[in-house]
Amino acid sequence: MARPRLEVADIFRSHGPAWRKAHAGHVSLEQLKVMSAIERCRTAALGGHVARCEDCAYTTIAYNSCRNRHCPKCQAAAAKDWLADREAELLPVPYYHVVFTLPAAIADIAYQNKAVVYDLLFKVSAETMLTIAADPRHLGARIGITSVLHTWGSALTHHPHIHMIVPGGGISLDGQRWVSCRPGFFLPVRVLSRLFRRLFLQKLIATHHAGRLSFFGDYAHLTDTQSFAAYLAPLRNTELVVYAKRPFGGPEAVLAYLSRYTHRVAIANSRLSAFDEQRVTFKWKDYRIEGRDRYKQMTLATDEFIRRFLIHVLPKGLHRIRHYGLFARGACADNVTRARELLAVAKPEGQPTAAAPDPSKPSCPCCGGRMFIIEVFARGTTPRYRPAAPASVIRIDTS
């Protein structure tokens, strides 16, 4: 795959040192680690190897990847491995896409308490879905959920929300049959929204009482219990956004969607348009507008672009992909097996997701032959091998 003309790494390498110096003391260790990883990714700083085709002798230098989960270049390989596991869990039923979004007032609290509030968003949205699905007035079944956290809007603003992929049905509460939802309709959005609002406010207040929330700057007054209650009061009559999209076309469409969403970072390199040291221009989508006019270009000062990118660095140890209900990791295999029995379908053949070649065993771009390693070089060093011409050097991620 050809290297994008412009990368986040280029911006960090060019402007990162000055930005870190200007913001010293106001950047977290995790953010500094992300910047360093992206700057060094697929460069000699991380080492690499030289590979040669056993058929045509084509030779190339391959630099190691940083494997940081916030790096735009390192998520494709991780997504392929993850999707291979998910393919074995797919059921032959329609799948639905449900989105839970935090209102701006709570998103501001989350900005200062990311680990606590993001974790709460995961748990409350899952509890909401599982509770309503188990209600005999709606589905009366145990469902499976795959949840993915996104913290950004298209313009890199702070916009925390959960994307859920859910099969259109579940195992009955007595475990004896598969209960399908109505065609084209999974669960009532308004009912989900109101339960989500009630549970989230309840648990957020309990978290505040437990002293697990911190506030500073313009929100320092929310440390006081009464001030916090007054701040949340207007939200009790506000509909929280829960959005259910139409069902996917089939298992292949589910996998295609997951491949785009599960390992996405705040901005892909492909969205970057221009960088002139002082400004960064990138493509974004204005969801308030329908049609082609929603696709726009935005230009930010380089300092602001870096700031917006780094606000989406997740706290250490926070998992951004989680599974609930039938898909909870401990019992997932047994639940999927039981669901297949109830649906009277056989387990699918274990074929790798997509036909893409294994990145650990690259093939020659010239003749398709097998590449083998002729030299390994350590971090911070350069290979002894020198290509005949710069055009023969192609970056291949083999880490």
Side-chain angles (χ1 to χ4, degrees):
M1 181 180 293
R3 179 184 185 273
R5 182 174 60 87
L6 178 61
E7 298 180 347
V8 172
D10 298 324
I11 298 169
F12 280 6
R13 293 186 194 116
S14 173
H15 204 75
W19 190 90
R20 286 189 288 267
K21 183 177 180 180
H23 296 83
H26 300 281
V27 187
S28 72
L29 179 59
E30 287 302 312
Q31 291 172 328
L32 291 174
K33 287 181 177 179
V34 168
M35 290 190 75
S36 176
I38 292 175
E39 289 169 1
R40 293 154 58 90
C41 186
R42 300 188 198 180
T43 68
L46 296 182
H49 64 262
V50 180
R52 178 170 293 164
C53 176
E54 64 181 0
D55 295 330
C56 70
Y58 168 83
T59 306
T60 183
I61 300 174
Y63 296 108
N64 292 334
S65 300
C66 67
R67 298 191 178 186
N68 189 286
R69 62 175 172 169
H70 300 93
C71 177
K73 288 186 290 192
C74 289
Q75 297 310 298
K80 288 178 183 177
D81 293 340
W82 188 85
L83 286 172
D85 295 333
R86 301 290 79 73
E87 185 175 31
E89 300 167 2
L90 281 177
L91 299 172
V93 299
Y95 276 72
Y96 289 79
H97 175 198
V98 183
V99 183
F100 287 81
T101 302
L102 290 181
I106 296 181
D108 291 341
I109 296 174
Y111 187 81
Q112 299 186 358
N113 299 272
K114 292 180 179 179
V116 174
V117 179
Y118 291 168
D119 183 64
L120 201 60
L121 175 57
F122 266 117
K123 291 177 178 178
V124 174
S125 57
E127 182 179 348
T128 298
M129 290 287 287
L130 294 172
T131 300
I132 298 303
D135 190 332
R137 293 174 295 178
H138 299 293
L139 193 62
R142 295 184 296 126
I143 61 172
I145 302 171
T146 295
S147 297
V148 182
L149 172 67
H150 284 185
T151 64
W152 56 86
S154 185
L156 293 182
T157 51
H158 187 238
H159 179 63
H161 55 286
I162 292 285
H163 292 270
M164 289 183 173
I165 305 300
V166 191
I171 297 176
S172 61
L173 301 183
D174 61 7
Q176 299 304 305
R177 60 192 179 91
W178 177 264
V179 181
S180 297
C181 65
R182 285 185 285 164
F185 179 85
F186 184 51
L187 293 173
V189 170
R190 178 168 292 185
V191 174
L192 291 171
S193 175
R194 291 180 177 175
L195 180 59
F196 177 58
R197 175 182 63 192
R198 178 170 64 81
L199 291 176
F200 197 95
L201 292 178
Q202 284 178 354
K203 294 181 184 296
L204 187 63
I205 291 173
T207 302
H208 185 276
H209 287 167
R212 297 180 58 210
L213 298 179
S214 301
F215 301 97
F216 49 88
D218 294 340
Y219 296 91
H221 66 285
L222 295 183
T223 302
D224 176 71
T225 301
Q226 292 185 342
S227 297
F228 188 71
Y231 180 82
L232 296 182
L235 295 174
R236 298 186 182 280
N237 297 313
T238 301
E239 292 286 348
L240 302 194
V241 178
V242 178
Y243 177 58
K245 294 186 177 181
R246 69 182 63 181
F248 292 99
E252 295 79 10
V254 176
L255 289 175
Y257 174 86
L258 287 173
S259 67
R260 294 195 305 270
Y261 271 78
T262 53
H263 292 73
R264 181 178 288 185
V265 298
I267 187 169
N269 288 327
S270 59
R271 288 176 55 198
L272 299 175
S273 303
F275 171 53
D276 64 0
E277 301 295 331
Q278 302 302 317
R279 295 174 297 275
V280 179
T281 300
F282 61 92
K283 293 174 281 189
W284 72 291
K285 187 185 299 183
D286 189 344
Y287 288 95
R288 298 169 298 180
I289 300 174
E290 295 294 334
R292 298 179 62 182
D293 290 341
R294 63 166 37 184
Y295 298 98
K296 302 179 179 181
Q297 297 270 354
M298 177 175 291
T299 299
L300 297 175
T302 304
D303 277 13
E304 174 62 10
F305 175 86
I306 294 176
R307 185 195 72 83
R308 290 196 189 188
F309 184 93
L310 292 180
I311 65 176
H312 304 294
V313 171
L314 296 177
K316 183 178 181 180
L318 182 77
H319 296 282
R320 66 179 178 187
I321 305 174
R322 303 187 187 183
H323 308 274
Y324 298 93
L326 299 180
F327 296 158
R329 294 298 86 186
C332 179
D334 291 340
N335 288 332
V336 170
T337 298
R338 179 56 178 163
R340 290 188 175 281
E341 291 174 354
L342 297 174
L343 288 164
V345 294
K347 182 178 179 179
E349 294 296 327
Q351 298 296 327
T353 301
D358 184 345
S360 66
K361 300 177 181 178
S363 58
C364 176
C366 298
C367 69
R370 184 172 68 91
M371 302 288 288
F372 63 97
I373 296 174
I374 62 172
E375 179 188 349
V376 176
F377 54 97
R379 290 170 175 258
T381 64
T382 57
R384 294 187 301 275
Y385 166 80
R386 290 291 181 271
S392 66
V393 178
I394 298 178
R395 298 184 180 198
I396 300 178
D397 176 17
T398 60
S399 60

